[in-house]
Amino acid sequence: MSGNSLESVPLYHQSGTRREICHWIAHIKLSRIIIVILLILFIVSLFNHYYLSKVESENQTLDIHRTRSKLEAFDDFTSMKASELKSRIEEMLRIKGSVSNELRDLEAKRQRLQNEVSGFSQRIDDLKQDLLHQQTDLDRLKISVVQAQAAQREAVERNTPELALPKRILINSLPITMLPTMDSRNCRMYNCFDHSRCALTSGFPIYLYDPDLFSIVNSGWDIDGFLRTTIKQTLGYNAHLTNNPAEACIYLVLVGEILSTQAITKKLNYEKMLNVKKLLSLPYWGGDGRNHVLLNLARRDLSVNSENLFNDIDTGRAIIVQSTFKRNQYRDGFDLIVPPILGPPGGDIWQECAQMVPARRRYLLSFQGEMKFNKLSMTTRQIDDAEIDLERLADDENNLDNFIIQHLRDMTSGVTFDKFFIQFECIPATEEQNSGGMALDWSLCGTDSSRKEILRDSTFALILAPINSSYITTSSMQARLYEALRSGAIPVVLGGDQVLLSYSEVIAWRRAAIFLPKARVTELHFLLRAVPDSDLLFMRRQGRLIWERFMGTAQGAVDTIVASIRDRLGIPPLPATQHSSPSVFNESFVPLKSDAIISEAEAEESLGPLEPPYPSPAFKRNYTMMLIHGHEIWNDWVNPFSLYPQLPFDTVLSSDAKFIGSDVGFRPIGKGAGGAGKEFSESLGGNHPREQFTIVILTYEREQVLINSLARLYGLPYLNKVLVIWNSPKLPMEDLRWPDIGVPIVIIKAPRNSLNNRFLPFDAIETEAVLSVDDDAHLRHDEIMFGFRVWREHRDQVVGFPGRFHAWDQNFHNAWNYNSNYSCELSMVLTGAAFIHKHYMYLYSNWLPQAIRDKVDEYMNCEDIAMNFLISHLTRKPPVKVTSRWTFRCPGCPVSLSEDDTHFQERHKCINFFVQVFGYMPLLNTQYRADSILFKTRISHDKQKCFKFI
Ligand SMILES: *[C@@H]1O[C@H](CO)[C@@H](O)[C@H](O)[C@H]1NC(C)=O
Ligand SMILES: *[C@@H]1O[C@H](CO)[C@@H](O)[C@H](O)[C@H]1NC(C)=O
Ligand SMILES: *[C@@H]1O[C@H](CO)[C@@H](O)[C@H](O)[C@H]1NC(C)=O
Ligand SMILES: *[C@@H]1O[C@H](CO)[C@@H](O)[C@H](O)[C@H]1NC(C)=O
């Protein structure tokens, strides 16, 4: 009952009382009448009210006609006394009060009921939501079951069980003595090498005769002591070395450089220096020197001394390794041409190298050298005749060389903008210049550092083939090549068709040097000018790669010799060493567990099946990797010294193969029929078989932040394992509750507090894909899933979320700056939230120059920049940024502005320092960002997007 209906009653009643009012009008005055009328009107309304409430309490269904007739019974109310009227009014008021109370009660009741209703509808909503979650969970379980069934079917159907590794066949006997049966000059691997000592699974054991005990040089002569120690030491670091001669595949004999002063002053020939009898009596020589490798390594660039120790000496079936070979002496595919060992034993050598830019340097071409005369390759009688011979020689065979010299001289003085530095006489003159003898080769002029200075200023370095064309390589030529590559001068080998460079079986020299027949000398200038800048830089970079990897250090040189013989035999290298993963907890300690939190957003979208842990298959390609990727392994990424369990560059099956014959492990979307979001989330799809990823979190004394991050990982599909690298020396609190997220969490005690630990190749990482995240990074499950799926298509790149770029600061100091502002190009994706291949963790920890890791430790910063440098350097590709949603809260970033500034200043410095180390800026820009395919596409309602939000 509302107030409105009460007020309307007196108005309605007014017309019914009009007759009585007319009787009155004749007897009383108007003013009185008006007062009385008003009074009556008021009283009538009160009566009405009373009556109505009364009848209503008696009979709720009272109709309007009956109301009127009862009211008429009160017609004589005017006769009431004033006191009576007053009490009536009071009663009315009381009634009014009780009615409003009643109304209030009813209102409260109404409210209560309304609350109950909304409570119920809330409940309904909750239940609906719950149903949805249950449905999602059920869906997820269903697809998990389907995936598990697929895995089981595969396991059952697999009719080629994995073959156990053949037993490591190690020969366990010393070589027996056999008499030489053939002319050693015809030796090749098939007829002179004993393959039975070198089984495929043997691991290629090598044995070194201790150079201190087994010298094959006559008494009175000595191998360069520094060389002897260095080789012994560096070979000691080579994992193939064995102490057991009975199991060895090859036997190394260090011959080495014989000290020059002795050789020159005593004027003796090689037969007097080398003791063949000592060679034959080496304990495992076996009569013919099978599987022996004679290392005649030179440390100096003087070819006179180290050149051809074994010339005209029968070394039986032994392989000769040296820098100088005569054409008819070198047994192709058997002997090995190596560069002289000119670098330090080991360590960082990047300081030796020049920066790669500018592409064009001051001199277009440089050469410093002069004809060298060789006395030691001649008999005493020849030395006597040398003076006479020299004139004659210059006339015939050296005619072309004279022409070349003349032409180059003319070129230098000709009219051209290009500058040359060509010098055919050394200043000051070298000792040999006037001492007579036969021209064998060009000697180097000046000192190492003076030549370095010129070469660093030269775009190209001229390398002339040995003057005596019966040599295919000399140590002097090899030394010249070494110096050119070190300084980034691109070698131009004139007479390139008559020489062989080192390790030519495996090194693609044509990517790093220009080879020209001598007859092309007149075309030389034209050709060099025609090389574009980008190719100049490519060749220079390639040259530096060769130099750093194979020549720059004694360690590299020795390892390369071993690797190239091993490669020839088709034996895989030894596996790269992983880093052990010691737990922070001792064996007796059982960490406390807690339940994981399921966040709303993660629960409502099914992103993929939850599968049991499934490590990526490892070492599947032991015997094909070096066949298929041999070229890249030697000349591009990676290196030939270690075997890696997987590569980011593994071969990919064609997409029909996964339906016909090679379906194992594949999870095609909609069983190959494809599909939108629903089908997409049910299988992993892609060009690669199913796989999972590992999350690596580096943490330092932020336990609760870490625990929260871990808890959020509950129910993440394709997650294999979580590694927490505990960088703090303080152990985790004992009462810390670790969330149970359905996959193992391995907490690793870091060797020391270093950001480089983030990239240690821990053996606990069993997948190729590694998601590196900061302990406080908050990535949503759909973002992680999408990132993982994108990474699977860009396995060799960094794939992740926070993009940054390097910017050239022209105004301030002409150097690089690190920049995190909004930009339409990026060149780095920070590893605070990025996927990388585990392979790069090996390279970061073992291959990257130590100086970079030291810088990271110095600043406690920049490890993410270093990883981007490394990967861009190896792949020449920029990183891939995924999705736009994720905002990167700079983790661990200092809060105060000044500290923030320090952080950035350090990062500027890091970038510029890394450029120094790499010799160039390897980062590349990209404008590309990966969003999922149906993102922002209008699709019909019965179809799902690939992801709801991204
Ligand atoms: C080249 O060297 C070989 C051996 O050292 C020698 O017999 C020959 O005469 C030399 N030829 C020239 C043109 O110097
Ligand atoms: C293992 O670690 C726990 C906690 O860190 C410690 O209390 C306990 O004494 C340790 N036990 C042994 C055997 O070291
Ligand atoms: C490949 O080599 C690795 C390392 O030596 C070894 O563990 C693995 O079993 C090998 N795999 C095959 C298939 O030969
Ligand atoms: C980023 O942008 C701001 C505002 O435009 C500018 O002041 C700042 O210098 C930029 N930072 C860098 C590192 O370029």
Side-chain angles (χ1 to χ4, degrees):
M1 214 191 284
S2 77
N4 267 345
S5 61
L6 270 177
E7 278 166 51
S8 68
V9 176
L11 283 174
Y12 170 79
H13 203 59
Q14 211 170 357
S15 60
T17 52
R18 205 166 280 160
R19 265 178 293 130
E20 286 85 358
I21 292 167
C22 289
H23 277 287
W24 279 60
I25 287 173
H27 307 285
I28 37 177
K29 286 179 184 168
L30 195 67
S31 58
R32 274 180 153 186
I33 291 171
I34 292 168
I35 297 166
V36 173
I37 287 173
L38 286 173
L39 191 66
I40 289 169
L41 282 175
F42 176 67
I43 292 169
V44 166
S45 78
L46 278 177
F47 269 89
N48 261 340
H49 182 177
Y50 173 67
Y51 183 74
L52 275 174
S53 43
K54 194 109 187 201
V55 288
E56 218 173 350
S57 63
E58 286 163 12
N59 185 357
Q60 294 278 349
T61 59
L62 185 78
D63 71 59
I64 206 83
H65 300 283
R66 280 180 64 197
T67 314
R68 187 190 283 177
S69 59
K70 282 210 172 174
L71 277 173
E72 275 159 7
F74 283 94
D75 274 356
D76 57 346
F77 65 91
T78 45
S79 59
M80 285 178 193
K81 287 180 188 151
S83 61
E84 208 177 326
L85 200 62
K86 195 183 164 202
S87 77
R88 278 282 171 91
I89 290 169
E90 274 165 7
E91 197 187 345
M92 294 296 126
L93 285 171
R94 194 178 45 76
I95 290 167
K96 189 180 179 232
S98 91
V99 168
S100 354
N101 275 348
E102 212 174 311
L103 279 174
R104 253 199 300 279
D105 287 352
L106 282 169
E107 176 62 18
K109 202 170 166 193
R110 193 180 64 94
Q111 214 118 64
R112 210 164 50 241
L113 283 171
Q114 218 155 35
N115 281 350
E116 252 168 64
V117 168
S118 69
F120 279 125
S121 46
Q122 177 63 40
R123 186 84 196 285
I124 291 174
D125 282 352
D126 284 354
L127 284 173
K128 269 189 192 159
Q129 196 65 26
D130 213 32
L131 180 70
L132 198 68
H133 288 181
Q134 301 284 1
Q135 191 66 45
T136 323
D137 271 357
L138 184 68
D139 286 352
R140 191 181 270 190
L141 277 177
K142 271 189 197 157
I143 54 176
S144 301
V145 169
V146 172
Q147 297 300 333
Q149 281 168 341
Q152 194 200 11
R153 199 177 51 246
E154 274 167 6
V156 173
E157 280 174 7
R158 198 157 190 153
N159 49 8
T160 48
E162 301 223 9
L163 218 58
L165 205 59
K167 258 180 104 163
R168 185 173 178 222
I169 306 171
L170 284 180
I171 221 123
N172 205 5
S173 60
L174 297 168
I176 51 159
T177 304
M178 286 158 57
L179 287 177
T181 51
M182 58 174 294
D183 188 348
S184 66
R185 276 175 301 181
N186 297 329
C187 265
R188 293 295 182 271
M189 292 303 277
Y190 73 90
N191 57 8
C192 283
F193 194 82
D194 180 3
H195 287 270
S196 72
R197 296 198 69 85
C198 311
L200 281 180
T201 53
S202 65
F204 193 59
I206 59 176
Y207 179 84
L208 173 71
Y209 287 103
D210 187 342
D212 294 323
L213 303 178
F214 298 97
S215 174
I216 58 163
V217 173
N218 270 323
S219 55
W221 302 94
D222 198 12
I223 300 177
D224 176 355
F226 178 81
L227 189 73
R228 192 172 54 201
T229 331
T230 306
I231 300 298
K232 197 172 154 181
Q233 184 195 349
T234 49
L235 265 171
Y237 293 131
N238 191 298
H240 295 280
L241 195 73
T242 175
N243 289 323
N244 178 6
E247 66 166 25
C249 166
I250 58 169
Y251 299 84
L252 303 180
V253 187
L254 182 64
V255 182
E257 187 172 61
I258 290 162
L259 287 178
S260 57
T261 45
Q262 296 169 319
I264 287 165
T265 49
K266 293 185 185 169
K267 289 197 175 183
L268 286 166
N269 59 20
Y270 290 123
E271 280 111 81
K272 298 240 171 96
M273 294 190 270
L274 190 72
N275 192 328
V276 181
K277 276 200 204 109
K278 281 191 178 179
L279 196 61
L280 298 182
S281 61
L282 285 172
Y284 317 115
W285 187 257
D288 56 4
R290 296 184 308 282
N291 294 21
H292 275 59
V293 177
L294 306 177
L295 300 175
N296 179 22
L297 304 174
R299 195 161 69 89
R300 266 160 264 261
D301 49 34
L302 300 167
S303 61
V304 179
N305 311 302
S306 59
E307 65 147 309
N308 215 343
L309 207 52
F310 300 111
N311 192 19
D312 293 333
I313 290 177
D314 188 359
T315 49
R317 288 161 73 175
I319 294 173
I320 295 175
V321 176
Q322 59 184 16
S323 311
T324 306
F325 276 106
K326 284 206 304 194
R327 200 173 300 280
N328 60 6
Q329 172 197 11
Y330 176 70
R331 296 163 293 182
D332 195 17
F334 192 72
D335 293 327
L336 198 60
I337 301 171
V338 297
I341 296 189
L342 301 175
D348 276 5
I349 45 170
W350 56 272
Q351 289 106 323
E352 297 286 310
C353 296
Q355 292 293 301
M356 289 187 214
V357 287
R360 290 180 191 281
R361 297 167 168 182
R362 183 155 166 231
Y363 302 115
L364 180 66
L365 183 71
S366 73
F367 179 84
Q368 285 176 285
E370 67 182 4
M371 294 250 189
K372 185 160 62 182
F373 299 97
N374 178 20
K375 289 164 287 188
L376 289 164
S377 64
M378 295 177 281
T379 62
T380 323
R381 208 191 61 78
Q382 278 176 317
I383 292 176
D384 295 340
D385 297 342
E387 308 280 343
I388 315 147
D389 286 347
L390 200 58
E391 290 291 312
R392 186 177 51 78
L393 282 173
D395 281 348
D396 43 79
E397 200 183 332
N398 288 2
N399 258 351
L400 187 55
D401 283 319
N402 287 333
F403 173 73
I404 289 171
I405 292 170
Q406 197 49 50
H407 181 83
L408 290 174
R409 281 200 169 122
D410 293 349
M411 186 173 81
T412 317
S413 54
V415 189
T416 167
F417 289 119
D418 294 321
K419 283 195 171 148
F420 298 90
F421 190 97
I422 308 271
Q423 184 187 345
F424 287 113
E425 276 105 30
C426 294
I427 310 157
T430 53
E431 190 194 318
E432 286 107 314
Q433 194 188 11
N434 302 314
S435 56
M438 240 191 300
L440 165 75
D441 201 3
W442 297 92
S443 66
L444 309 177
C445 286
T447 62
D448 184 73
S449 66
S450 75
R451 287 194 301 272
K452 197 178 201 171
E453 215 163 285
I454 298 294
L455 285 169
R456 280 175 171 230
D457 254 352
S458 313
T459 311
F460 293 97
L462 184 65
I463 293 177
L464 291 167
I467 293 168
N468 185 331
S469 60
S470 53
Y471 283 85
I472 52 163
T473 167
T474 62
S475 58
S476 160
M477 180 185 87
Q478 296 287 351
R480 205 174 272 284
L481 183 74
Y482 173 101
E483 290 188 349
L485 294 177
R486 180 181 61 184
S487 296
I490 298 163
V492 179
V493 189
L494 202 55
D497 50 350
Q498 70 189 56
V499 299
L500 272 180
L501 301 191
S502 48
Y503 311 114
S504 48
E505 285 167 73
V506 283
I507 294 183
W509 280 105
R510 285 156 53 135
R511 285 173 145 203
I514 293 176
F515 295 86
L516 288 179
K518 281 184 176 171
R520 287 211 191 281
V521 67
T522 57
E523 297 169 310
L524 181 65
H525 188 185
F526 166 81
L527 179 73
L528 299 187
R529 279 286 292 276
V531 182
D533 284 9
S534 54
D535 284 350
L536 281 180
L537 287 177
F538 180 90
M539 295 183 90
R540 187 170 293 154
R541 180 174 166 279
Q542 192 67 27
R544 174 158 170 179
L545 183 150
I546 293 173
W547 185 81
E548 279 183 333
R549 203 178 279 176
F550 307 121
M551 305 179 164
T553 61
Q555 185 75 56
V558 165
D559 289 346
T560 308
I561 293 170
V562 174
S564 65
I565 298 175
R566 179 190 48 67
D567 193 275
R568 207 185 259 182
L569 299 175
I571 302 174
L574 294 173
T577 46
Q578 310 198 55
H579 204 278
S580 64
S581 322
S583 171
V584 275
F585 303 120
N586 58 35
E587 285 133 33
S588 55
F589 183 75
V590 181
L592 299 176
K593 290 264 175 201
S594 75
D595 285 338
I597 318 153
I598 311 162
S599 85
E600 281 296 308
E602 323 294 16
E604 64 185 54
E605 192 177 4
S606 167
L607 294 164
L610 294 179
E611 297 180 302
Y614 172 73
S616 299
F619 294 114
K620 285 287 174 199
R621 307 180 58 218
N622 289 0
Y623 302 101
T624 43
M625 221 181 243
M626 31 176 218
L627 306 181
I628 293 170
H629 304 298
H631 177 82
E632 288 82 2
I633 285 176
W634 283 88
N635 298 289
D636 252 344
W637 29 267
V638 218
N639 63 60
F641 308 128
S642 297
L643 181 68
Y644 295 97
Q646 308 98 359
L647 293 178
F649 319 94
D650 281 345
T651 43
V652 175
L653 272 178
S654 65
S655 29
D656 50 1
K658 64 186 169 201
F659 298 106
I660 309 169
S662 313
D663 56 341
V664 176
F666 283 97
R667 299 287 181 269
I669 291 169
K671 295 194 160 52
K678 188 171 174 300
E679 296 78 17
F680 181 62
S681 61
E682 285 172 4
S683 29
L684 192 51
N687 300 321
H688 298 268
R690 71 170 165 146
E691 60 180 323
Q692 300 183 332
F693 62 92
T694 307
I695 292 184
V696 174
I697 303 178
L698 191 75
T699 189
Y700 187 83
E701 296 187 356
R702 291 202 289 188
E703 299 189 345
Q704 204 46 53
V705 173
L706 170 75
I707 295 295
N708 294 345
S709 293
L710 287 174
R712 283 195 294 264
L713 300 175
Y714 176 79
L716 182 59
Y718 306 113
L719 178 59
N720 181 270
K721 195 188 276 180
V722 179
L723 257 67
V724 175
I725 302 168
W726 197 265
N727 242 356
S728 164
K730 225 165 68 189
L731 295 185
M733 307 251 278
E734 278 176 43
D735 55 358
L736 201 60
R737 292 186 168 272
W738 297 87
D740 184 357
I741 57 167
V743 299
I745 299 179
V746 183
I747 302 120
I748 295 174
K749 190 173 163 56
R752 64 201 174 88
N753 180 18
S754 163
L755 291 177
N756 292 316
N757 293 339
R758 163 171 282 177
F759 301 127
L760 284 175
F762 290 108
D763 52 10
I765 303 175
E766 295 178 293
T767 58
E768 295 184 57
V770 174
L771 172 60
S772 160
V773 286
D774 287 329
D775 53 3
D776 60 352
H778 186 175
L779 282 173
R780 292 201 340 234
H781 285 194
D782 53 352
E783 291 170 318
I784 296 180
M785 283 305 307
F786 181 56
F788 176 54
R789 285 171 179 261
V790 172
W791 175 86
R792 282 170 38 88
E793 295 164 22
H794 298 268
R795 307 173 77 86
D796 56 342
Q797 285 161 285
V798 186
V799 174
F801 300 89
R804 298 288 186 268
F805 65 100
H806 64 299
W808 184 249
D809 184 353
Q810 194 159 23
N811 302 326
F812 190 48
H813 52 311
N814 265 340
W816 290 107
N817 269 343
Y818 171 83
N819 201 316
S820 62
N821 277 353
Y822 287 117
S823 161
C824 292
E825 274 189 329
L826 63 93
S827 58
M828 285 175 272
V829 163
L830 302 187
T831 50
F835 282 93
I836 49 172
H837 197 286
K838 187 186 175 188
H839 182 61
Y840 294 125
M841 302 174 89
Y842 289 102
L843 300 187
Y844 183 96
S845 304
N846 304 328
W847 176 87
L848 207 59
Q850 183 61 38
I852 289 188
R853 287 188 299 271
D854 288 347
K855 187 61 77 179
V856 168
D857 280 337
E858 182 190 331
Y859 288 151
M860 266 295 189
N861 197 343
C862 307
E863 87 288 2
D864 44 2
I865 301 180
M867 183 52 103
N868 275 276
F869 266 67
L870 168 70
I871 296 182
S872 287
H873 171 67
L874 291 171
T875 60
R876 305 305 298 124
K877 288 181 193 170
V880 178
K881 176 173 167 51
V882 190
T883 77
S884 53
R885 285 180 51 89
W886 201 69
T887 47
F888 189 62
R889 287 171 303 117
C890 179
C893 270
V895 250
S896 87
L897 214 69
S898 64
E899 276 176 319
D900 200 27
D901 197 47
T902 320
H903 172 81
F904 272 90
Q905 290 310 323
E906 282 169 359
R907 288 169 90 77
H908 299 323
K909 285 186 203 154
C910 284
I911 289 202
N912 288 299
F913 178 72
F914 296 168
V915 167
Q916 293 283 310
V917 177
F918 279 85
Y920 74 115
M921 167 48 93
L923 297 180
L924 293 165
N925 287 319
T926 177
Q927 311 172 15
Y928 175 101
R929 187 185 76 200
D931 284 314
S932 81
I933 294 205
L934 294 178
F935 179 60
K936 290 197 172 170
T937 305
R938 284 173 195 275
I939 54 171
S940 59
H941 291 297
D942 56 333
K943 289 264 185 284
Q944 250 178 48
K945 296 203 167 199
C946 310
F947 293 95
K948 266 190 183 168
F949 306 107
I950 55 176

